[in-house]
Amino acid sequence: MKSKVVKSIKLALKSFAILIILLINPIQITYAAQQSVSAKAVVTIGSAPACNIYSIENGIGQDGSSWSDAEKANIQTVCTTLAKSPAVISLLQAAGQIHLARYTNGSLGKEVCGIQVSPDTIEIACDLSSVTAAEYMITHESGHVIQSFNGSVYQAYLNSGAFDQEGLMPTYLYSEAGILGWGGCPRCESFAEMIADNVVSKIFNFHSRTWSGYPGGIWVNPGSGWTTYAQDRPMHYNFAKTNIFGGVEF
Amino acid sequence: MPKLKDISNFIQAERVLIFFLIVGVGLITYLLYSFSQKPSGQVTWKNNILPGQTTKQEVEKSLGKPLKTEATGSSNIYFYPTQNKFRQDQVVFSQNTAQIIKEQVIGNEKGKLPDYISKYGNPQAIVYGPHGFAGPGHFWQAQGILVFANDHDGTIVEIWYFAPTSLGKLIKANPQLSINPPKNF
C-alpha cells in the first residue's frame, strides 16, 4: 500500500514538472540572422587598418578593384578630419572595424559611388583621388554605419523632427520617391547626408539636384534662395553638430 | 492490519495528489480561457486594441478622435499623438477593422530588443523596411508583432501589431518590407 502511494506521488510530481516545463519553456524556433553581407567577398590588404576604424580592402570577383595610393592617402585624411571630434570617432568605433572595399568604377550602378551593403561594410566604385570627394563619400557612408550601430542616436534623430520639418537633405542624389523606389530608407539617407554635409558643406562641390532645386557647388551662397547649410537646414545641422560631433564644427 | 503511520502517510499522500490535481485543473482552465480570448498569444496594443478584431468605432471610443486621417486605396489610416509631436501612431483600418497598428517608440518605454527575445524566443525572421539597418524588423508570427530595433544597442524605434499571419502575407500587404538587406547609397 505504502509503495503504491509513493509511486503515485512520484508519477504526479513528474507529470506536474513536465507540465510546468512545457509552460515556461516552449519550443523555440531558431532563426538564421539574415545579416549576410554582399555576395562579393573582400580581402584585407596588409595588416594596417586606416586610423583603426577603416579596413581598406580590395573587392574581389569580376568587379573587384584596388585602391590607388592617392585614395588610400585620402582615406587617411578623412580619418584625420573626423578625429577632430572624439564623439564621432566613438560612434564609429561601435562598429569595431569598417570595411571599405574597392570595386571598378561604375560597377555598382549608374551614378552610384558607394553602397553600404551590411552594417559594417561599404563598397566604393568611383574615383576618390580628390580629397573632398573622399571626405564626402566616406563620411556619408560612415553615417550609415553610425545609424546601424547606434540605435539610440538614430531614434533621437527621428525624435528631433529634423526630417519631418526639413525633409530629405537637398544635396542627396535622389529624391524621397527615388529612394523608396529601390526599397531604401529616406530617413536613413538623410541621416547619412546630414553627417557628410556637416563635414564638407563648405568645401565640396556638390552636383546640382533637380529634385530639391539645390543649384550645385559648395553650400555657401550657391544660388538664389540658398545661404549655408547651418542656416538653410538648421535642425539637421544642429542635430549633427550636437549629437554626432559633440559640438565640433568643421 | 495497517499501522497508524501507514494511514497517516496515505492521507497525506492523497492530500498532495488532490493539491496537484487542483493546481493542474486550474492551469488548464486558465490556458483554455486565455486561448479563447485571443488567437494563439497575439499581442494587444494599448487599451486591449486587437488588430483583426477591434473595429473603428471601438478604437475611437477607446482613443478618441484621431489627429488626422488618410485614405489610401481601400484603407483608412488614423493618426494618434504620442509623447513626441513629430511622431504619431498609426492605426490602419480595412473594412472597418483595425488591420495593422504602427506604434512609434520614443524612448525606452517599450523596453529593449533583448526583452522581446527573452519573452518570445528568437524571432522567426528579420525583415528590412522603413529603418534599414538602423532598425531591422524582428518578426514574431504567433504574437503578431514586428519590432523594428537596432541589433547592436537594442533600441526599439517602432512596433507593428497585426493579426498573426505568415511572413509572406505580411510582406505582400506591406511592400516596403523585404527579407533582402537594403542597399544604402
Side-chain angles (χ1 to χ4, degrees):
Chain A
M1 170 71 87
K2 190 180 171 186
S3 68
K4 213 174 181 183
V5 169
V6 170
K7 269 185 184 172
S8 298
I9 292 172
K10 279 183 178 172
L11 190 66
L13 280 172
K14 264 187 185 174
S15 305
F16 188 67
I18 289 167
L19 181 67
I20 293 296
I21 287 166
L22 283 174
L23 283 173
I24 63 174
N25 188 26
I27 297 163
Q28 295 182 347
I29 302 167
T30 55
Y31 79 109
Q34 296 170 9
Q35 302 247 333
S36 61
V37 297
S38 156
K40 296 170 180 173
V42 290
V43 291
T44 306
I45 305 167
S47 58
C51 307
N52 294 321
I53 299 173
Y54 297 109
S55 173
I56 302 174
E57 302 166 354
N58 283 349
I60 62 169
Q62 64 175 18
D63 294 328
S65 186
S66 55
W67 297 94
S68 68
D69 288 344
E71 289 174 327
K72 287 180 190 173
N74 286 342
I75 293 169
Q76 189 65 41
T77 303
V78 173
C79 296
T80 308
T81 302
L82 292 177
K84 292 174 187 169
S85 163
V88 77
I89 296 297
S90 173
L91 292 172
L92 288 166
Q93 283 171 336
Q97 205 161 67
I98 301 167
H99 304 276
L100 291 178
R102 186 69 163 90
Y103 286 88
T104 306
N105 290 349
S107 64
L108 299 178
K110 191 184 173 191
E111 294 184 303
V112 176
C113 180
I115 298 181
Q116 181 204 25
V117 294
S118 78
D120 64 355
T121 303
I122 295 164
E123 293 179 354
I124 297 289
C126 63
D127 180 12
L128 296 186
S129 58
S130 147
V131 71
T132 53
E135 287 192 319
Y136 170 65
M137 189 49 58
I138 302 292
T139 52
H140 174 98
E141 299 302 335
S142 297
H144 285 306
V145 174
I146 288 172
Q147 70 196 212
S148 302
F149 286 87
N150 301 273
S152 60
V153 178
Y154 174 72
Q155 187 195 56
Y157 172 69
L158 299 180
N159 292 344
S160 75
F163 186 88
D164 303 273
Q165 295 290 293
E166 296 179 346
L168 179 64
M169 285 290 290
T171 54
Y172 187 63
L173 177 60
Y174 298 104
S175 67
E176 190 172 343
I179 296 168
L180 291 171
W182 81 69
C185 157
R187 284 169 171 76
C188 303
E189 293 299 347
S190 205
F191 181 98
E193 188 76 357
M194 160 188 79
I195 290 172
D197 285 6
N198 271 59
V199 176
V200 303
S201 71
K202 295 171 188 164
I203 58 170
F204 180 63
N205 275 309
F206 295 97
H207 287 293
S208 61
R209 304 297 187 206
T210 310
W211 72 266
S212 69
Y214 186 78
I218 62 169
W219 200 341
V220 180
N221 302 315
S224 176
W226 297 83
T227 59
T228 62
Y229 170 29
Q231 286 187 49
D232 294 337
R233 295 292 184 275
M235 293 178 81
H236 276 93
Y237 180 84
N238 287 317
F239 180 87
K241 177 186 164 187
T242 305
N243 296 279
I244 305 294
F245 296 104
V248 173
E249 293 182 282
F250 294 87
Chain B
M1 185 84 179
K3 291 178 184 172
L4 199 59
K5 195 178 171 187
D6 286 340
I7 293 168
S8 165
N9 283 344
F10 179 72
I11 290 169
Q12 281 188 15
E14 269 202 330
R15 279 181 182 167
V16 170
L17 279 174
I18 288 166
F19 169 75
F20 285 134
L21 195 67
I22 291 168
V23 170
V25 168
L27 274 171
I28 288 163
T29 308
Y30 170 75
L31 287 173
L32 286 175
Y33 175 78
S34 299
F35 289 140
S36 70
Q37 292 303 297
K38 52 191 177 184
S40 61
Q42 182 183 356
V43 175
T44 58
W45 190 46
K46 67 170 74 166
N47 299 355
N48 283 325
I49 291 171
L50 193 64
Q53 289 190 18
T54 308
T55 64
K56 196 178 279 183
Q57 292 73 24
E58 288 168 337
V59 169
E60 283 192 23
K61 190 179 175 188
S62 174
L63 301 178
K65 291 282 179 192
L67 286 176
K68 61 173 181 175
T69 63
E70 260 180 35
T72 56
S74 59
S75 299
N76 269 311
I77 307 173
Y78 278 26
F79 292 81
Y80 283 99
T82 67
Q83 292 174 353
N84 182 288
K85 65 179 177 179
F86 301 112
R87 304 181 64 197
Q88 284 136 21
D89 295 331
Q90 298 177 28
V91 184
V92 182
F93 294 98
S94 182
Q95 296 174 335
N96 205 44
T97 304
Q99 293 300 323
I100 189 161
I101 291 157
K102 299 177 180 179
E103 179 183 42
Q104 304 303 307
V105 180
I106 311 303
N108 289 329
E109 69 272 19
K110 304 300 288 189
K112 294 263 190 174
L113 178 60
D115 300 329
Y116 287 77
I117 291 172
S118 66
K119 192 170 182 182
Y120 302 126
N122 285 326
Q124 280 89 58
I126 300 292
V127 295
Y128 298 92
H131 306 290
F133 288 125
H138 299 74
F139 174 72
W140 279 278
Q141 180 169 356
Q143 286 72 29
I145 52 171
L146 188 61
V147 179
F148 292 96
N150 189 277
D151 283 321
H152 301 279
D153 69 4
T155 301
I156 298 169
V157 292
E158 187 169 341
I159 302 175
W160 290 8
Y161 301 80
F162 43 89
T165 186
S166 69
L167 182 64
K169 284 180 181 170
L170 183 70
I171 290 174
K172 195 175 176 187
N174 298 275
Q176 72 270 45
L177 300 176
S178 172
I179 56 168
N180 298 316
K183 287 189 172 179
N184 291 323
F185 296 120

